[in-house]
Amino acid sequence: MPANGVCSVGLEVIEDTATYASGSDSAGVSEDEDVQQLFVNGTDRVTSVVSLPKKPDTRAKLQQQQQQQQLDDSKTISDKRYASLPNRDQHQQFLTEFLTEVLNSAVFNATDRANKVLNWVDPEELKRTLDLALKDEPDTHEKLLELTRATIRHSVKTGHPYFMNQLFSSVDPYGFAGQVLTDALNPSVYTYEVSPVFVLMEEVVLREMRTIVGYPDGTGDGIFAPGGSMANGYAISCARYKFMPDIKTKGLHALPRLVIFTSEDAHYSVKKLASFMGIGSDNVYAIKTDAIGKIRVDHLESEILRAKAEGALPFMVSATAGTTVIGAFDPLEQIADLCAKYNLWMHVDAAWGGGALMSKKYRTLLKGIERSDSVTWNPHKLLAAPQQCSTLLTRHQNILSECHSTNATYLFQKDKFYDTRYDTGDKHIQCGRRADVLKFWFMWRAKGSAGFEQHIDKVFENAEHFTSSIKARPGFEMVIENPECTNVCFWYVPPGLRSVPRDSAEFRERLHKVAPKVKERMMKDGSMMITYQPIHDKPNFFRLVLQNSSLDKADMNYIIDEIERLGKDL
């Protein structure tokens, strides 16, 4: 019988016939006979009994038939591989081995400082190395485990302490647990009848986040969205509807030329979503920033007046709390004053910096956010929740539903037997929507608000230590002398470049090439990942972003030493 206990129902009786005890469900056999019981679906019900005299030739014949039966059974299992439901006999061992491999290789080993962040392979070579071809016939479980190991081996370990390349990192154990549970339950959050726990969970979490933002009693509306870009898009949609409700039914033909204002250093999604929604990227007016990356309020007001003089309708300012590169926080209180003066919707893109609201010490960076109309806040960034975990929060109750609902009767029937106010799906544009709330809620319950505060304080402490350390190290120069967030932007000037005049074209040209070359070397070594970029007229510089609270001062020193090691000969 196969090891997994699955077998076809019939089995040929060989030579001697089995005898049964009268009035019994079990077989009665003599001591000199062998008995084989056939188990069905893991039960101990006997479906046939084979009685065989102990003769060597007959035993060999039985073994041969058993081997054939195993082959037939394996083929039966393979033939049923298409079936969607998990089967304990067929899948438990595979899933156990799979999850063990994931925990060992993708979670614990992948976050070990002693191991590499990545094993770099050029694209064409990786194409030849990885078995990615799709086939007609199913792979064995052993092959699937092999592919799992290969996928982990060749992927970037974004949970590694030295992955600081993007505005997300780490593998939070409680967030991971919530993510696994989400996938196991596979919900779609649009009606209470299919997602009762997650509808209520979202209500609790979003209200608490609105309370932390500063909206009175946490009232308002909100939604978990697939990324900060979509959350910003929801804000634009709600703001437009608030000023021009006819947009919902009459479309763009009913509108004047609408104008949005945002920082020249704002996330590109504001311009992209304005284009997507028919407002047009030309109607996103870029506001100049000062020397440390903050919106210049004087220029904002002059652009508002220019748009009005042109006959356009200014309707929204999108401020930023933690710009993508510099990590600057726009002056929210002054922007709120202008929005009140000119009757504009004030949105705050706090996708990156919103996590600072959890800390009494650092939430002052976002002073004035409580006066906003809406906020984008991504827990998967500074709070290190697993990807993706993004929210749109607004003080305006029911505006998401008013703006987006279509009352599809096949899904949002109003005559259901329960309170249909809990059918929240009509307020978003996605229909099917992941329960991104679970992993964040699970983290929150595991750590408490106090734990999130300690996390934020730790990552800011690391950024401050790193900043003070490179200021004291020859060859390192700050782009922004005193960073506000945990973005630390700096140049590394190799010894061979330090004697070149700073105002020369040669210095600028050579410095521009340093960061890309160091980045290439660190990736090929697999030692760490830190991004670089230019901004405005500045040559390429490194941008270290810190949101992993497991790092310490020794890690900060390692990063500095590693950059120096990789670039000192350039």
Side-chain angles (χ1 to χ4, degrees):
M1 190 169 95
N4 58 19
V6 177
C7 187
S8 59
V9 174
L11 181 64
E12 181 181 353
V13 178
I14 305 171
E15 298 195 4
D16 293 343
T17 304
T19 60
Y20 293 85
S22 175
S24 172
D25 290 332
S26 61
V29 293
S30 63
E31 293 181 358
D32 64 345
E33 293 175 327
D34 289 340
V35 179
Q36 179 173 354
Q37 293 185 341
L38 178 62
F39 295 84
V40 178
N41 296 327
T43 69
D44 59 359
R45 179 171 61 86
V46 178
T47 58
S48 64
V49 178
V50 178
S51 177
L52 181 69
K54 292 183 177 179
K55 298 177 181 179
D57 57 335
T58 309
R59 185 178 297 279
K61 186 176 180 181
L62 174 61
Q63 290 174 344
Q64 182 181 9
Q65 293 212 0
Q66 286 176 326
Q67 291 171 358
Q68 182 61 47
Q69 186 67 56
Q70 288 176 359
L71 292 174
D72 293 342
D73 292 340
S74 297
K75 187 175 188 306
T76 300
I77 293 171
S78 177
D79 289 343
K80 292 184 178 179
R81 186 70 71 85
Y82 67 85
S84 301
L85 283 178
N87 177 289
R88 188 179 297 275
D89 292 329
Q90 185 175 348
H91 299 115
Q92 183 167 357
Q93 182 177 348
F94 166 70
L95 289 175
T96 299
E97 292 179 7
F98 172 81
L99 290 172
T100 300
E101 186 68 49
V102 169
L103 284 172
N104 286 336
S105 300
V107 176
F108 294 113
N109 290 343
T111 59
D112 189 333
R113 287 170 175 79
N115 294 326
K116 291 183 176 184
V117 177
L118 75 160
N119 296 291
W120 174 258
V121 180
D122 286 324
E124 293 304 318
E125 182 182 347
L126 189 58
K127 282 183 182 179
R128 293 190 295 271
T129 301
L130 283 179
D131 178 9
L132 298 178
L134 302 176
K135 302 177 294 184
D136 288 337
E137 296 302 316
D139 281 319
T140 64
H141 285 170
E142 290 73 18
K143 178 63 175 178
L144 293 175
L145 291 170
E146 177 188 322
L147 294 171
T148 300
R149 288 187 283 270
T151 299
I152 295 170
R153 184 167 58 252
H154 291 294
S155 293
V156 176
K157 312 308 185 294
T158 61
H160 194 287
Y162 301 143
F163 176 86
M164 296 156 285
N165 204 67
Q166 259 73 44
L167 302 182
F168 69 90
S169 71
S170 82
V171 179
D172 184 273
Y174 302 108
F176 172 76
Q179 185 97 303
V180 171
L181 181 54
T182 302
D183 287 341
L185 295 172
N186 194 33
S188 187
V189 188
Y190 40 52
T191 62
Y192 180 82
E193 66 180 283
V194 297
S195 287
V197 174
F198 303 119
V199 166
L200 299 181
M201 193 179 282
E202 281 194 348
E203 185 178 78
V204 169
V205 172
L206 292 170
R207 176 175 286 276
E208 185 64 21
M209 293 178 78
R210 290 193 298 267
T211 301
I212 292 168
V213 165
Y215 296 155
D217 298 320
T219 56
D221 206 348
I223 191 172
F224 278 79
S229 294
M230 283 301 299
N232 285 339
Y234 275 116
I236 295 171
S237 180
C238 289
R240 183 173 65 175
Y241 175 81
K242 178 75 171 177
F243 281 85
M244 305 290 295
D246 283 350
I247 181 64
K248 183 174 179 179
T249 54
K250 297 180 180 177
L252 298 176
H253 297 290
L255 300 183
R257 182 168 69 91
L258 300 177
V259 175
I260 302 171
F261 307 92
T262 196
S263 161
E264 62 181 341
D265 294 342
H267 193 263
Y268 65 82
S269 60
V270 177
K271 183 174 286 189
K272 180 171 286 191
L273 268 295
S275 176
F276 179 78
M277 295 169 64
I279 293 170
S281 58
D282 286 349
N283 293 315
V284 179
Y285 286 21
I287 308 303
K288 294 177 182 177
T289 55
D290 61 18
I292 58 174
K294 297 175 179 287
I295 268 186
R296 281 178 40 195
V297 179
D298 60 333
H299 187 239
L300 173 59
E301 184 164 24
S302 69
E303 288 295 272
I304 293 171
L305 294 172
R306 176 170 77 89
K308 291 170 75 72
E310 293 169 348
L313 179 64
F315 78 106
M316 179 180 187
V317 175
S318 180
T320 309
T323 55
T324 304
V325 178
I326 300 298
F329 290 79
D330 286 339
L332 302 182
E333 289 188 301
Q334 297 174 60
I335 292 171
D337 289 341
L338 282 182
C339 288
K341 181 177 179 179
Y342 293 104
N343 191 33
L344 305 177
W345 180 287
M346 179 183 173
H347 175 64
V348 180
D349 179 359
W352 171 229
L357 290 166
M358 302 298 289
S359 166
K360 290 185 288 290
K361 181 177 181 180
Y362 294 101
R363 68 169 290 122
T364 55
L365 291 166
L366 297 99
K367 190 177 181 182
I369 195 171
E370 70 279 359
R371 296 173 62 187
S372 66
D373 291 283
S374 60
V375 172
T376 290
W377 178 359
N378 288 8
H380 74 239
K381 292 188 175 178
L382 204 50
L383 290 177
Q387 286 271 36
Q388 60 194 18
C389 191
S390 307
T391 62
L392 183 279
L393 311 167
T394 175
R395 67 167 59 250
H396 300 280
Q397 288 183 284
N398 303 319
I399 193 168
L400 282 161
S401 180
E402 293 168 3
C403 181
H404 302 120
S405 65
T406 57
N407 297 307
T409 55
Y410 68 88
L411 191 59
F412 306 113
Q413 304 95 334
K414 299 303 181 186
D415 55 355
K416 291 179 179 178
F417 64 94
Y418 60 85
D419 187 346
T420 57
R421 288 179 301 170
Y422 292 103
D423 286 356
T424 57
D426 210 16
K427 71 180 183 181
H428 56 76
I429 62 173
Q430 300 156 242
C431 192
R433 189 167 60 91
R434 240 178 104 77
D436 289 326
V437 64
L438 176 55
K439 54 200 168 194
F440 185 43
W441 176 86
F442 208 77
M443 287 176 65
W444 208 327
R445 290 298 294 262
K447 300 167 185 282
S449 299
F452 278 144
E453 181 172 23
Q454 291 173 308
H455 165 85
I456 292 296
D457 290 349
K458 180 64 175 180
V459 294
F460 272 88
E461 177 189 318
N462 283 335
E464 290 157 7
H465 176 78
F466 185 88
T467 298
S468 61
S469 297
I470 61 173
K471 284 182 177 180
R473 182 77 71 98
F476 288 85
E477 299 182 11
M478 298 294 295
V479 176
I480 301 295
E481 193 66 18
N482 296 301
E484 287 190 290
C485 199
T486 63
N487 315 43
V488 185
C489 299
F490 61 95
W491 289 286
Y492 173 65
V493 184
L497 189 53
R498 295 173 196 171
S499 59
V500 177
R502 294 302 179 92
D503 57 353
S504 67
E506 179 191 359
F507 179 83
R508 180 183 177 84
E509 185 177 325
R510 288 176 61 184
L511 181 62
H512 191 64
K513 296 177 181 178
V514 170
K517 192 62 182 178
V518 172
K519 176 68 177 287
E520 176 188 349
R521 290 176 174 180
M522 74 172 67
M523 289 189 66
K524 288 182 175 178
D525 281 3
S527 59
M528 61 185 185
M529 279 184 70
I530 299 174
T531 193
Y532 70 87
Q533 64 282 301
I535 191 171
H536 305 313
D537 61 344
K538 293 178 171 61
N540 281 324
F541 55 87
F542 291 104
R543 180 199 64 170
L544 176 72
V545 285
L546 296 168
Q547 69 263 52
N548 187 333
S549 54
S550 295
L551 299 178
D552 55 27
K553 292 179 180 179
D555 294 311
M556 300 302 102
N557 297 334
Y558 166 84
I559 295 164
I560 298 168
D561 292 341
E562 185 67 3
I563 289 175
E564 193 170 53
R565 180 185 75 83
L566 294 168
K568 62 185 179 182
D569 65 331
L570 295 175

